[in-house]
Structures are given as C-alpha cells and as structure tokens.
Amino acid sequence: MQHALSLMTFIPLVGALIIPFLPKEKPNWARWVALAATLPPLFIAFKIFALFDRSAASFQFVEGPYSWIPAFHIQYYMGIDGISVSMVLLTALISTICIIASWGIQKSVRGYFALFLLLDAGMMGVFCALDWFLFYVFWEVMLLPMYFLIGIWGGPRREYAAIKFFLYTLLGSVLMLLVMIAFYFYSDGNSFNLVTLANQAGHLGPLTHPNFRLVCWLGLFICFAVKIPAFPFHTWLPDAHVEAPTAISVILAGVLLKMGIYGILRINYTLLPEATVYFAQMMAVIGVINIIYGALCAMAQTDFKKLIAYSSISHMGFCLLGMSSFTPEGINGAVLQMFNHGTITAQLFLLVGVVYDRAHHRDLNKFGGLATTQPQYAVMTAIAFFAAMGLPGLSGFISEALSFLGGFKVWRFYTILSASGVVLTAGYMLWTFQKVFLGPVNEKYKGMPDISGREMLTLVPLVILVVVLGVYPKPALDLVGASLSALSQGMQSYLPSSWVAGL
C-alpha cells in the first residue's frame, strides 16, 4: 500500500488548512470537513490492520528515507512496527470519535476543528516518524493546538491549566532536543535516522562514555515521563483534564499519554539499551508509585472527571512495571495496556461528558439513582468501569495480567505491592457507580434524558473493542508480538547473567 502513513498523517492537515477558509456563518461545514478529514485515515487504518505482516519484526509500510534538509542529513522517513502499529490504529479511531463527540461545540467552530485536525496530524506523525528530527517536529506540532484547545475551549481555569500543560511539556521537549543534538554530533555520519542511531557501534566521543549515556537516558526519560505522566511529573494532568472540553480530554488520555511509553520504547530502549537496564528498577518503582498513588488520589476525588484523570495515572503505571521487566510478557502487556487503556479511558471521559452536558457539573455527591432515569447510560458506564477495574472478559484484564506476569519474574515485591492498585481501583470505581447510579433518584435529575444516538455512536465502537479483545486478545497480540519479542530479546542481551537466569 503506497504512502499509507503519509496519507494518514497529512489528510487531517489538509482539512486543517481548508477549514479557516469556510464561511463563518456555516459552522456545520467545518464539522463535516473535519469528519471527512479523519475518515480516510480510519479506512487506511483498517487496511493496515489487514495487511500488516504479523511474522515480521522489521518496519513495514516504509516511506523513505528521502532527503529533506540535505545539509544536515535530515530525512523524511516513515514506517511502523509492532511498537507503533497499535498506536496508529488507536489514533485514527479516537480522532474520528472525538470529531463526532465535538459536534456540539459552538464557540469558534472553525478554529476548534482546524486545531483539532492539526493535533491529529501531529499525533499520527509521532507514531510513524523514523527520523528523530521529524519525530521532534511532530512532537512539537502537537503542543500548540493542545495549548489553544484547552486555553480557549476549556473550563473556568483553562488559562492556568493550558499554561501548566505547555510549560511541563516544553521542559521535556527541551531535554529531548539537547539529547537529540548530542546524538547528531556524536554519531557516525551525523544522522537523525533512528534506525541508524540504534547501531551502538556508530556512537562516538562522549556517547561512548557510560556516565554521559546515563545522563542522556535521564533527559529522555524526563521528557517522556512528563507525557505519561509518571510521578512526580504528573501534576499538570488533573488540571488539564478537568478544564479541557470532553473530546480533548478523550484525545489527551486516549492517545497523548501513550506517547510517553512509546517514546521510551522507541528511543530509550533502542538507542541506550544498557542505560535502560541500569535504570530498570527506577522505572519499576515509579510504576508502582503511579499505580498506588494514582488510585489513592482517585479515591479522594469528588469531581467525576478528576477521578478518571487520576485513574489514568494509576493505569499507566502498569505499563512502566511491565516494560521494566524486559520479558516478552511484560513488554507485550505494556503495549497492549497502552491500546486498551486508550479505548477504556476514552469511554470514561465520553461518559463524564454525557452527564456534564446535562447537569452542568461533575460533583459525584450531587447525583444518585441515574440507573433508573438513564438505564442505557448506566449500562455503558458499568461496562467501562468494569473494564477499568480489569474484570476478566474485558480488555483491561488481559493487559494488566500480562504486565503482572512479566513483572513478577523480575520484580516480585513490586508486583505484589502494585496488585493492591487493583483493589483500590475496584474500590473507587464501585464507590463512584454507587453514588451516581444507585440509591434514590435525585429529584433534580428525574427528567434528565438518556444517552443520545450521537453519543451512543461514539461509545459503541469502543465497547465492542473492549469486549472482543477481552474475550479474544489474539488479534492484538499477534499484531505486536514479533516486534516486541525482538525488542525483548535485544534488551536481554544487555542484562546481567544472574537476571537472565531468573527469567
């Protein structure tokens, strides 16, 4: 399939360029153009899913490398493997769903949808870029639209949340830029090509010094940890989620958070493998802190959206725990958790948006008995809550179980400790369900309408994925398996013999 990845990346960008020229008095035109710009990438994603060679660990659908800025060896180089393919599919799906979920936006409609499509292009580019400079450009492209989408269309404290998000992410970006420059100057041939840079023999000068490599690893890790977000770089996330409009919260939790884990796997693991092994225990500890701290914070919330935001912090900890084990189970679990959490948390934020649109608040203490007045909404929420709790038969269970399986081989104490997060998650999810849906009906919301057809359209595809992958996860595991097994084997060659013997 020719230029599939470029089409997926740049069709939304074309839509973003068209929308500002549409008549202001025809806001629906902007909505339909935005939807039309996200549907082709979604169809291409289905085709990629069908054509992707499950037995190959190498990059597929490769475009380039083509010379872009020859004087500095900067290339246009795109490709996907098992680490990125699930994220490409997820981005295409969630972006289309978010456009439909944004249909009710009334303020500066053209600006909103143009910025959203620009964000979509940036996200897709990050997962497809194989040139570090190109990766960095797409990484930065995401920053501005997200800043404006929160800062203009957000809640009462939107300016504070947008600036906080911007500064945190920019700090990480600067650190990545410095490390990227170091790799450019201290690599054979002065290249940004991530495939070439993965060859350790091509590293020169300070890049051959262990301490310098550890510093580089830490710089990259902080950049990606901000995005995950990993403790203690997580404080921007609850503010951003609470203030962002519903669809932006969905894209933030469903796709953007995954870029942190993806960046560590794509760059830290492949370019600095021995430093990754050195810091593996630190990653595992941060993963455990994320799981427990995020769950405890979620338990203390009375704001529905803030509760889901902290649950995201908790669930991303499973990725760190699994991937730090370097076992096939752990790394498979981490990547599968990225995809599954993307679908589950997208449902959760969409569901929060449903009740907020009607009640105009998210205070859990002010609801009650909604299962009586909104039975369809209650059923959809129950499925999403059970999936987030990791109930067997739903997709969250498989990825968390694999992360635990991998983690237990290497980090037994940390894995046992992190299992408490499962209990805490069940606690705050069930407590929330009870407060919102059970008990006597709040008189104020007796006439509240149930979930609408458009809202159901955004939720049903996600529910189908959660159920299908929970019962039969083989399609997802086969999709990522070959590349992740190769990554796991590659990392194990850097492990101490005592560590390998225990696997």
Side-chain angles (χ1 to χ4, degrees):
M1 191 176 179
Q2 293 288 316
H3 308 301
L5 303 182
S6 292
L7 289 170
M8 294 181 81
T9 303
F10 292 109
I11 287 177
L13 187 60
V14 172
L17 294 174
I18 291 172
I19 285 176
F21 296 99
L22 299 175
K24 186 180 179 182
E25 60 277 10
K26 303 277 188 187
N28 270 342
W29 289 17
R31 296 184 178 101
W32 284 108
V33 169
L35 183 61
T38 54
L39 285 177
L42 184 61
F43 292 136
I44 297 171
F46 285 129
K47 205 153 187 178
I48 285 178
F49 178 76
L51 298 175
F52 194 82
D53 184 353
R54 273 74 170 160
S55 63
S58 57
F59 289 104
Q60 302 180 41
F61 301 95
V62 174
E63 298 174 37
Y66 304 118
S67 185
W68 177 23
I69 307 176
F72 304 106
H73 306 146
I74 297 171
Q75 301 168 321
Y76 181 80
Y77 191 16
M78 307 276 268
I80 52 173
D81 61 356
I83 302 174
S84 51
V85 63
S86 60
M87 292 298 97
V88 168
L89 304 182
L90 183 70
T91 304
L93 176 64
I94 299 289
S95 296
T96 306
I97 286 174
C98 284
I99 291 291
I100 299 171
S102 302
W103 218 254
I105 290 286
Q106 299 296 333
K107 179 182 174 184
S108 305
V109 177
R110 293 179 303 168
Y112 176 89
F113 284 103
L115 286 168
F116 188 93
L117 291 176
L118 181 60
L119 177 68
D120 184 5
M123 292 185 300
M124 195 63 80
V126 164
F127 292 125
C128 298
L130 295 180
D131 181 278
W132 201 347
F133 193 89
L134 187 64
F135 177 95
Y136 186 79
V137 168
F138 285 125
W139 187 273
E140 290 296 290
V141 162
M142 293 184 306
L143 191 56
L144 277 179
M146 184 54 88
Y147 169 77
F148 286 116
L149 286 166
I150 297 173
I152 296 175
W153 288 272
R157 295 175 69 241
R158 55 185 178 272
E159 291 91 354
Y160 170 75
I163 290 172
K164 196 171 181 181
F165 161 80
F166 191 92
L167 292 179
Y168 266 72
T169 311
L170 189 64
L171 167 70
S173 298
V174 169
L175 291 174
M176 177 163 62
L177 178 65
L178 293 173
V179 177
M180 186 176 76
I181 291 171
F183 267 83
Y184 176 75
F185 282 111
Y186 301 124
S187 63
D188 189 18
N190 300 120
S191 176
F192 289 110
N193 186 316
L194 286 170
V195 178
T196 304
L197 290 174
N199 178 13
Q200 312 297 310
H203 296 177
L204 308 171
L207 264 186
T208 59
H209 194 283
N211 289 340
F212 186 76
R213 293 174 71 81
L214 294 180
V215 171
C216 288
W217 191 96
L218 276 177
L220 289 171
F221 180 77
I222 291 171
C223 168
F224 298 131
V226 169
K227 211 73 165 182
I228 290 173
F231 181 88
F233 307 105
H234 65 284
T235 59
W236 64 270
L237 183 75
D239 291 315
H241 269 308
V242 167
E243 299 305 324
T246 296
I248 303 309
S249 287
V250 171
I251 207 79
L252 187 61
V255 180
L256 260 73
L257 305 191
K258 314 301 175 289
M259 288 176 184
I261 298 293
Y262 173 75
I264 293 172
L265 288 172
R266 173 66 71 213
I267 298 181
N268 289 56
Y269 272 50
T270 55
L271 269 56
L272 298 161
E274 78 294 341
T276 305
V277 171
Y278 181 84
F279 285 111
Q281 188 166 9
M282 183 191 78
M283 279 199 295
V285 170
I286 292 175
V288 175
I289 293 172
N290 258 45
I291 292 168
I292 298 175
Y293 172 78
L296 288 173
C297 287
M299 195 169 270
Q301 302 307 314
T302 55
D303 184 312
F304 203 166
K305 207 172 186 186
K306 211 166 191 176
L307 181 145
I308 303 301
Y310 275 111
S311 81
S312 287
I313 294 173
S314 177
H315 283 101
M316 293 309 289
F318 290 108
C319 297
L320 282 170
L321 179 68
M323 66 197 276
S324 65
S325 69
F326 306 123
T327 58
E329 300 93 332
I331 295 181
N332 271 278
V335 172
L336 198 57
Q337 174 73 353
M338 284 201 289
F339 185 85
N340 289 340
H341 179 257
T343 55
I344 295 167
T345 199
Q347 283 180 69
L348 291 169
F349 278 112
L350 287 169
L351 289 161
V352 173
V354 168
V355 77
Y356 181 74
D357 285 346
R358 289 154 176 75
H360 305 296
H361 73 85
R362 298 181 299 262
D363 190 339
L364 295 170
N365 294 321
K366 294 182 179 175
F367 294 111
L370 290 188
T372 306
T373 57
Q374 295 181 288
Q376 293 177 25
Y377 177 59
V379 170
M380 299 304 277
T381 307
I383 294 170
F385 275 22
F386 290 145
M389 287 160 52
L391 205 72
L394 299 171
S395 61
F397 170 74
I398 302 294
S399 46
E400 288 182 15
L402 285 174
S403 297
F404 280 138
L405 277 173
F408 193 78
K409 284 184 174 178
V410 179
W411 314 115
R412 291 191 180 174
F413 175 71
Y414 299 145
T415 305
I416 292 168
L417 197 59
S418 63
S420 62
V422 175
V423 181
L424 292 172
T425 303
Y428 66 75
M429 284 295 180
L430 293 175
W431 168 75
T432 303
F433 193 84
Q434 194 172 24
K435 281 204 157 193
V436 176
F437 294 98
L438 305 182
V441 180
N442 186 332
E443 293 294 323
K444 194 176 173 183
Y445 303 119
K446 263 192 171 176
M448 187 185 281
D450 207 340
I451 201 162
S452 70
R454 178 176 60 80
E455 290 161 343
M456 194 63 91
L457 181 65
T458 62
L459 289 163
V460 166
L462 299 170
V463 171
I464 291 172
L465 273 175
V466 164
V467 174
V468 168
L469 293 181
V471 176
Y472 189 64
K474 191 172 181 298
L477 290 171
D478 286 351
L479 195 67
V480 302
S483 296
L484 298 185
S485 294
L487 179 65
S488 172
Q489 287 171 9
M491 291 305 301
Q492 287 180 18
S493 64
Y494 291 91
L495 297 178
S497 54
S498 57
W499 187 330
V500 176
L503 297 178

